[in-house]
Amino acid sequence: MLRSAAAGAALTPYAELLDALVGLTWPSAARVRAGDPGAHRSTRLGRSPEFTEYRAYRPGDDLRRLDWKLFGRTDRLYLRIADDHAALQTTIVLDASASMRFPEEGPGKWEHASAIAIGLSAIAINDGDAVGVVVTDTSGADRVIPPRRRRDILHDAAALLHSVTPDGAPDLAGTIRRQESPPRLVVVSDFLGDAERALPELAVAAAAGSEVVVIHVVADAELDPPRQSFLAEDPEVPALRRAMSDANRAAYDAAFAAWRENVAAQCHAMHANYALTLTSEGVRDLVRRVVAGHAAQFQRASS
Amino acid sequence: MTFTAPIWLALAAAAALGVLVAHLFSPSVPRRERLPTTRFIPADAPLAVLRTNRLSDWLLLLLRLTVCILLGLALAGAHVPKRAPARVLIVDGSRAVASVAELRDSARARDGDVVIVFDSVARRATQDTLPTLQPSGAKGSVSAALVAAHRALQGFGEGRAESELVVVSPFTREEVDSATALLLQRWEGPVRLVRVGAATAPNRHRVEVRAQGDDPVAATFALRPEAVGQPVRVIRTRPTAADSAWARDAGGVLVLWPVKADSSLEPGAQASAVVASSAVVVARFARADAVGSGVPAARWSDGAVAASESPLGAGCVRTVEVGVDPVGDLALRASFRAFAYRMVEPCSGARDFAPVDLPRATPAAPALQTPAGREPVWFALLALVALIAEQVIRARGRAA
C-alpha cells in the first residue's frame, strides 16, 4: 500500500501525458526475433489464426497444418503458414550529463527527456513489451532498472528520473556499449558531451540487429540564445568560455545547425529512427511522432 | 548666475572629465551565462569588449555628465537671481486722504507692478483692487509701507537699482515718523512722491461728560472747553449699553473714566505721575490694579498702562484708570487739562493732517542688504532625477 502510494505520487506529473497516449502502439520497424509472445511480428512463422501464405508440403512437415480443402481442389498438398508475434524488449538510455540541466530556470532538457522516456515506456508496456531504463552516471556505474513487463516499471522509472540531477560528463558511449545491443535501443540525449564516441556505438548496436531510436533534445535557449552580449560558459567544460555577441551570432547559428545536421545524417546512415525535439515541443506530439515514424517504417517493410 | 562656493564647480568638472574618460576607454566584461552549446561560438571572439556605440550608451554618458554638473551647481550654491519688478507702487488708504477720486486717479498701476496699500498696516494688493479702493478710518504709517516695499524686493538679485518707487499719499504729519526719510534713502532705484490732497479735521465737537456731583474731570472740561475732532462722551459713572451702541454706531469716542472716589487715597494706591504722549501730570492719583487690553493711551511713571484704547465698531472705547483726587486744584492745572484732552482725542490719536515735506531720496546710504534667492536645491533635485533615469536605462540595457 505504501509503495503504491509513493509510486503513484512519482507518476502524478505525467498523468496528463499518459492519458493522452492511451491507445497508441509502437510497432517495431522490422520483424523481431522470436521470443515471448507479444505484439510484434516475429521472424518465426507460427500457428496463429492470422493466415499469411501457403507453402508446398515437404516431407517432415507437420501434417496438422495441411490445408485439406485446397488439396480437395488441387490434388496437391500445401501447408497453411501464419505469422508469429513476439515481444520486443525496449531499453531506454537517458543522458544525465551537466548539459542536460539547461536552462536552469523552469522545465529544461532533463525534464523534457524524462517525460519522453515515461511516455515511450508506457506505450511499450501497453504493447506487452519489456521495458528497462538506464541513466548515465559520472561514476561509471549506470543507474539501471532492468527490463520487465510489469506496469510498475513506470512508477520505478518515474521515481528514478525524479531523483537524478544531471551533472558532470558521464560516458554515454560506454553506457550504450554495456547494453549489448538490446532488441530496441532508445537513446535520449543532447549529444553535446561525446557524440563522436556515442554515435559509433549506436551504429554498432544497429549493425548487431538493434532497432535504434535516437531522440535528440535541444533547448530553445540554445537555438536562440539571449540577444545581449554575454560570456558563455560550458557546464561540462568549465574552462571553455567564449563571448557571444551580435557580431558572432550568425557564425554560432551556422556551426550549431551544421553539427545538428551531422548528427542527423549519422543516425540516418545507421538506419536509426532519428527525431530532433525542442524543449518547447509538447512531449505528447514528440512521442506520437516517434511511434508514427516506426509505424511508417513497419508499413514499408511489410509491403 | 552667481555662486557661493565656486570650488565645487571645478571639482564637478573634474568628476565629469573622469566619467567621460571611463565611459570612452574602459573595457567592459559582459555578464556570464551557462550555455551548453558554447563550443559552437567562434573561438576568436574577444572576452572583453569596448563600449559599443549604442544610443543607450551615449544617453547613459549624457545622464552621468548631467548628474556631475548638477551636483556641482548644487554644492556650489548656484542661484539665478530673479529680476526685480519695474515699479513698486505705494498707495495711502488711511484717514488722511481727502479725495478718494484723486487717490484712485493718481494710483494707476501697470502690469508687473508691486502694489502696496497702507493705513496703520501695509498689505500687498493687486492692480484690480485700486479702482475700488476706499480709505479706512485708521491712521496711516508711511514707514510701515516703505518697510513692506523693501521686503517686496527681497529675493530679487537683479534690477533693484532700476526699480522705481512711487508713493501716493498726502504725507501728513501723523503718517510720517523719523524712520520715513531713512527708508526712502535706502531705496536703490528712483523714487517719486505723488502728493494728494490731505483730509481736514475741523475740531467741532464738544466733550460730553456724564458725572455726578462736583466731579474734577467734569470741571476740567467745563473750564475753557475746547472742540475736539470726534464726538466724545466721558462717562464718570456706570456706562450703559446705549453708550456702547453710541460709540459703535455713531463712531464716537467713549471714554470710561470711573471715579476712584476716595478722598484719602490709600498710600499703596498712589502714583506720582502719569504720561499721555507729551502730556505729563505730576500729582497724587488713585491707581487701579489692572487696565483692560488695548492700545496704551497713557502710562504711569513706572511704565504700567494707565489708559488703553480698543476699537468698537465705527468708534472706540478708551478706558482710563486714573483716579483723580476730588480735593485739590488738580482740575485747574494746565498739565492736567492737557492730559484730559489727550484722553478725549479721536480714536487712534489726534488727527494731524498737516503736510510734511520729505527729502527726495538719494541713495547716499548703503542699500538694505537682503539675501538673494538661493536655488541650489533645484539643482540637487534635478541631479537626483538624472541619477534615477541613469539607473533605469542601465537596467533596461542589461535586461534587453
Side-chain angles (χ1 to χ4, degrees), chain B:
Chain B
M1 187 178 290
T2 58
F3 306 95
T4 55
I7 185 64
W8 285 103
L9 285 180
L11 294 174
L17 185 63
V19 166
L20 183 65
V21 170
H23 185 92
L24 292 177
F25 297 106
S26 64
S28 68
V29 178
R31 74 175 197 283
R32 294 182 178 184
E33 292 271 354
R34 284 178 84 245
L35 185 66
T37 51
T38 299
R39 68 203 68 186
F40 302 112
I41 300 173
D44 56 354
L47 294 181
V49 297
L50 292 179
R51 195 166 299 281
T52 60
N53 279 330
R54 295 177 300 180
L55 179 62
S56 61
D57 292 336
W58 291 111
L59 188 57
L60 280 175
L61 174 63
L62 184 64
L63 284 171
R64 288 165 184 164
L65 292 176
T66 303
V67 169
C68 291
I69 293 168
L70 289 173
L71 279 178
L73 288 173
L75 292 170
H79 60 273
V80 180
K82 292 181 283 189
R83 188 156 185 87
R87 195 166 75 148
V88 177
L89 177 64
I90 296 177
V91 181
D92 192 335
S94 70
R95 65 188 184 187
V97 175
S99 169
V100 172
E102 182 187 10
L103 181 72
R104 292 173 184 168
D105 187 60
S106 300
R108 298 286 181 94
R110 300 189 294 243
D111 289 338
D113 285 352
V114 173
V115 179
I116 296 171
V117 176
F118 76 94
D119 46 26
S120 58
V121 296
R123 57 194 177 277
R124 292 282 291 266
T126 62
Q127 63 178 9
D128 300 331
T129 61
L130 291 180
T132 58
L133 180 65
Q134 287 287 344
S136 68
K139 180 178 169 184
S141 172
V142 176
S143 294
L146 290 174
V147 168
H150 280 286
R151 285 182 176 168
L153 289 194
Q154 278 185 2
F156 293 102
E158 292 183 357
R160 295 164 65 95
E162 291 80 36
S163 184
E164 181 187 24
L165 176 67
V166 177
V167 186
V168 180
S169 171
F171 300 106
T172 60
R173 190 175 300 163
E174 70 170 16
E175 298 180 295
V176 174
D177 54 37
S178 57
T180 305
L182 186 61
L183 289 169
L184 283 173
Q185 287 177 0
R186 297 282 186 171
W187 192 262
E188 294 181 55
V191 175
R192 185 154 58 95
L193 305 179
V194 179
R195 187 183 294 273
V196 294
T200 56
N203 294 337
R204 57 178 186 272
H205 302 283
R206 293 181 63 84
V207 178
E208 177 187 341
V209 182
R210 187 159 76 228
Q212 289 180 344
D214 295 328
D215 186 85
V217 173
T220 299
F221 289 115
L223 292 171
R224 286 193 295 148
E226 293 178 13
V228 293
Q230 194 171 356
V232 177
R233 185 179 293 179
V234 179
I235 309 297
R236 292 282 285 165
T237 57
R238 190 185 298 278
T240 64
D243 295 324
S244 300
W246 169 85
R248 182 181 61 245
D249 300 332
V253 181
L254 181 64
V255 179
L256 303 178
W257 197 333
V259 174
K260 303 290 181 182
D262 189 349
S263 60
S264 64
L265 288 177
E266 299 88 358
Q270 295 178 16
S272 58
V274 66
V275 179
S277 186
S278 59
V280 180
V281 184
V282 178
R284 202 173 64 153
F285 296 102
R287 177 170 170 170
D289 293 332
V291 180
S293 63
V295 177
R299 293 184 182 273
W300 298 110
S301 57
D302 60 0
V305 177
S308 64
E309 174 186 320
S310 301
L312 180 64
C316 60
V317 176
R318 195 169 289 139
T319 306
V320 182
E321 295 291 344
V322 177
V324 179
D325 190 353
V327 177
D329 62 349
L330 186 60
L332 301 177
R333 295 190 199 170
S335 59
F336 181 77
R337 176 185 166 79
F339 174 81
Y341 273 94
R342 284 289 182 186
M343 293 298 99
V344 296
E345 280 181 344
C347 295
S348 303
R351 296 178 182 192
D352 188 354
F353 297 147
V356 173
D357 288 328
L358 290 172
R360 292 294 179 186
T362 52
L368 288 173
Q369 294 293 329
T370 54
R374 290 173 61 91
E375 293 133 8
V377 64
W378 290 108
F379 294 116
L381 288 174
L382 287 174
L384 183 63
V385 170
L387 201 59
I388 293 172
E390 192 266 350
Q391 293 286 327
V392 168
I393 291 173
R394 191 144 48 97
R396 281 186 181 173
R398 276 194 234 111

Side-chain angles (χ1 to χ4, degrees), chain A residues 24-48:
Chain A
L24 288 181
T25 59
W26 191 4
S28 66
R31 290 178 180 269
V32 303
R33 279 188 224 121
D36 294 331
H40 310 279
R41 288 192 178 184
S42 76
T43 52
R44 185 175 68 186
L45 296 177
R47 298 157 64 115
S48 75

Side-chain angles (χ1 to χ4, degrees), chain A residues 99 101-102 104 192 222 228 230-235 241-243 248 251-252 255-256 259, chain B residues 29-43 45-47 397-400:
Chain A
S99 61
R101 188 162 53 96
F102 180 83
E104 291 184 336
L192 287 173
E222 292 169 334
Q228 72 274 29
F230 63 95
L231 191 63
E233 293 180 337
D234 193 313
R241 286 186 292 168
R242 291 181 184 166
N248 56 18
Y252 165 83
F256 188 28
W259 175 79
Chain B
V29 178
R31 74 175 197 283
R32 294 182 178 184
E33 292 271 354
R34 284 178 84 245
L35 185 66
T37 51
T38 299
R39 68 203 68 186
F40 302 112
I41 300 173
L47 294 181
R398 276 194 234 111

Side-chain angles (χ1 to χ4, degrees), chain A residues 269-300:
Chain A
M270 69 178 79
H271 300 289
N273 184 3
Y274 173 83
L276 185 142
T277 177
L278 297 179
T279 50
S280 59
E281 182 184 10
V283 175
R284 178 184 59 186
D285 297 331
L286 183 274
V287 169
R288 284 180 172 177
R289 193 151 56 91
V290 169
V291 302
H294 273 228
Q297 286 183 357
F298 174 76
Q299 286 171 2
R300 285 194 297 272

